[in-house]
Amino acid sequence: MIVVSLSSQVPLHDQIVAELRRLLASGKLVAGDELPPVRQLANDLGINLNTVARAYRELTDAGLLASARGRGTVVLSTTERPSGRPAVERKRIEVSVAAALADAKIAGMSLADTRTLIERQLAKLWNQTYINA
Amino acid sequence: MNDPASVLGNLFTLIFVPLMLLMPLLVVLFVRTRDATPAAHALIRARTIVLLLATLTAVTLWFGSFLLSRQYPLGGVLPWVARMGWMMFFPLWFVLATPILRAKTGMADESGFRPSDSVRIAGLVNRARKSPLRRSHWWMFALAAIAGLAAISARALGAPFENDGLQRAWLMQLAGYASQVLLIAAILPWVLRRMLLEPEPLDAAGNPDLAQMYDSLRDAKILGLFWMLGIAMPLVFATAFSVMCWTGIGEYAAWIGAIGGSCIGIAGAGFGVVMGMRRMRIAEFKRDLDRQARANSSGPS
């Protein structure tokens, strides 16, 4: 399922991209899966067609989705096409993680709560394999 | 006046037309108001009075035309108004009744969303692949279309035309039928595909009953429309055109076309009302699920 919030500060197409990336990362979407047509998703979410089309285009540009003749939009890969050198990619992700952790601290979350939250997300995405790593 | 076609036509006019004209008002009175503010209640009451007056006007107009048409046909205008009066159903339903029903059920539009629904949830199933129509359905459509073409074409082989005018008329009937069927063949798949993609917002928990209700409604709508437009309509056209070219009596064909077309129209309108009510029930069910989810999330943890 894709969930978006109309009252969020985050633009709708970014929310759709984030939701689809979450589904790809958690394995709920795998290579070859068909996505709903743009019109269907836009109708179901009650939003503009172009918003969904833009989100699909962004993920297509990242190498995650592809348009297949007769099948609409399908998942091409669950691994993103690197947009820069590995060190640059790593830095970009580190900045995102740092921003999320700063948000958690500013929101008043304790270290223990933040750690639990991170562990829950890691468990979701890596199927708990990180515990043994 | 006592020939079977007239009797059938009068029966049709006297039973189906008033039924169709009264249906929007009856549905509005049947649906109960949910969660409406006093201001909304007042608006619903005012709109219902407008609908009542419009319904009375429509019924009076139809009945007056029916009575007067028996003495003053006015070149066929009044009988036509009396016969086709059921078409006033459409403004009564779509312009007057639908806004009242939306206000009564608290829906913003047919999608089931209200402005306050800020969280939107969609499934990832590609519904374009979930059509209930199989290849056999399209074969039936092709057979219905070909049967009509064969019945009209056979006139040329059955007996020689008495004059060029009749032959030209037959050619026009054949072309007319073929163009109608081609139009249906061009439009119907597109319309049915659009119906697959109509809004089906989900609840946060992904309730399976909600998904099942959507599936059932979608299948019913698509199959219903297919049978009406893909099978019944070509058969009515085929019968009317065949009767016209085989008997040469346009009046019979006009009656078949009028009664057959009106029956399809009435069935379509009734079908639309029933489907609309089912859609509203689904929207209500989803709202209940959303309400429960909100209560659970804001309750004691």
Side-chain angles (χ1 to χ4, degrees):
Chain A
M1 287 195 302
I2 289 184
V3 183
V4 296
S5 171
L6 267 54
S7 55
S8 167
Q9 299 288 319
V10 181
L12 278 169
H13 84 273
D14 285 344
Q15 290 187 48
I16 297 171
V17 167
E19 281 287 286
L20 287 170
R21 291 176 78 100
R22 177 181 62 79
L23 292 165
L24 289 164
S26 64
K28 285 181 179 150
L29 282 175
V30 296
D33 279 357
E34 286 182 20
L35 288 183
V38 169
R39 184 178 296 277
Q40 176 188 319
L41 194 54
N43 284 345
D44 287 359
L45 296 173
I47 59 176
N48 193 285
L49 281 177
N50 293 327
T51 307
V52 178
R54 186 174 166 191
Y56 276 18
R57 204 162 44 241
E58 209 166 289
L59 292 169
T60 304
D61 291 346
L64 294 169
L65 305 182
S67 293
R69 179 175 289 196
R71 291 187 67 200
T73 306
V74 294
V75 176
L76 185 66
S77 165
T78 52
T79 314
E80 192 167 20
R81 186 188 301 143
S83 56
R85 286 182 294 117
V88 176
E89 284 289 291
R90 196 182 182 88
K91 186 71 193 165
R92 182 179 64 81
I93 290 162
E94 195 178 334
V95 168
S96 301
V97 172
L101 291 174
D103 270 355
K105 191 173 181 187
I106 288 169
M109 282 179 68
S110 68
L111 178 62
D113 284 350
T114 309
R115 185 167 283 144
T116 307
L117 196 130
I118 292 169
E119 284 178 355
R120 198 184 301 151
Q121 292 303 318
L122 290 171
K124 271 187 191 170
L125 296 181
W126 273 272
N127 295 323
Q128 300 189 329
T129 49
Y130 80 99
I131 290 170
N132 304 323
Chain B
M1 209 41 150
N2 289 327
D3 66 293
S6 289
V7 173
L8 199 63
N10 285 340
L11 266 179
F12 167 81
T13 309
L14 276 171
I15 294 169
F16 286 104
V17 179
L19 192 72
M20 287 305 295
L21 296 181
L22 289 171
M23 194 184 284
L25 182 64
L26 294 175
V27 171
V28 162
L29 295 176
F30 176 73
V31 172
R32 66 191 170 95
T33 309
R34 290 168 60 105
D35 305 336
T37 60
H41 266 295
L43 189 65
I44 289 167
R45 203 175 306 120
R47 284 177 170 172
T48 307
I49 291 169
V50 172
L51 175 64
L52 175 71
L53 292 175
T55 305
L56 287 175
T57 308
V59 171
T60 308
L61 192 68
W62 159 75
F63 195 59
S65 308
F66 179 74
L67 286 181
L68 288 174
S69 67
R70 302 173 74 81
Q71 287 188 331
Y72 314 104
L74 290 181
V77 173
L78 283 178
W80 186 86
V81 172
R83 232 175 15 243
M84 302 305 282
W86 65 269
M87 289 184 81
M88 287 186 281
F89 161 85
F90 293 106
L92 288 174
W93 177 254
F94 290 107
V95 180
L96 297 175
T98 306
I100 301 172
L101 291 170
R102 281 180 187 157
K104 278 191 154 188
T105 53
M107 279 170 57
D109 54 36
E110 282 191 353
S111 67
F113 291 123
R114 290 175 303 160
S116 58
D117 294 336
S118 65
V119 175
R120 309 280 172 92
I121 302 164
L124 283 169
V125 174
N126 183 355
R127 294 199 295 273
R129 302 253 175 267
K130 293 189 81 182
S131 173
L133 295 175
R134 302 282 164 263
R135 201 180 289 264
S136 57
H137 287 95
W138 294 107
W139 276 112
M140 277 190 274
F141 167 70
L143 272 178
I146 290 167
L149 276 177
I152 299 167
S153 307
R155 170 65 185 87
L157 306 171
F161 292 104
E162 290 165 14
N163 54 50
D164 285 352
L166 282 176
Q167 190 168 17
R168 264 199 305 277
W170 168 76
L171 269 174
M172 292 296 289
Q173 285 147 11
L174 189 63
Y177 176 76
S179 60
Q180 304 273 14
V181 167
L182 283 174
L183 190 69
I184 293 173
I187 290 174
L188 192 58
W190 179 80
V191 172
L192 296 175
R193 187 181 147 75
R194 290 296 288 260
M195 289 175 85
L196 285 169
L197 307 182
E198 281 178 359
E200 293 184 9
L202 298 177
D203 67 307
N207 186 295
D209 290 342
L210 182 65
Q212 204 276 327
M213 286 164 91
Y214 279 133
D215 283 347
S216 162
L217 176 69
R218 193 188 326 115
D219 288 355
K221 279 169 78 173
I222 289 173
L223 286 170
L225 199 72
F226 173 82
W227 283 106
M228 272 188 285
L229 295 185
I231 303 294
M233 197 172 267
L235 288 179
V236 168
F237 284 141
T239 311
F241 280 112
S242 305
V243 166
M244 196 152 38
C245 71
W246 280 94
T247 65
I249 303 171
E251 201 178 330
Y252 288 166
W255 269 111
I256 291 168
I259 293 176
S262 299
C263 283
I264 292 174
I266 289 167
F271 182 72
V273 170
V274 172
M275 293 296 114
M277 290 178 74
R278 277 181 68 179
R279 185 70 182 78
M280 281 184 191
R281 271 204 294 276
I282 294 176
E284 279 182 24
F285 181 63
K286 181 184 170 290
R287 279 175 56 199
D288 288 343
L289 291 172
D290 289 343
R291 206 176 290 134
Q292 278 170 23
R294 271 197 299 274
N296 290 342
S297 64
S298 63
S301 55

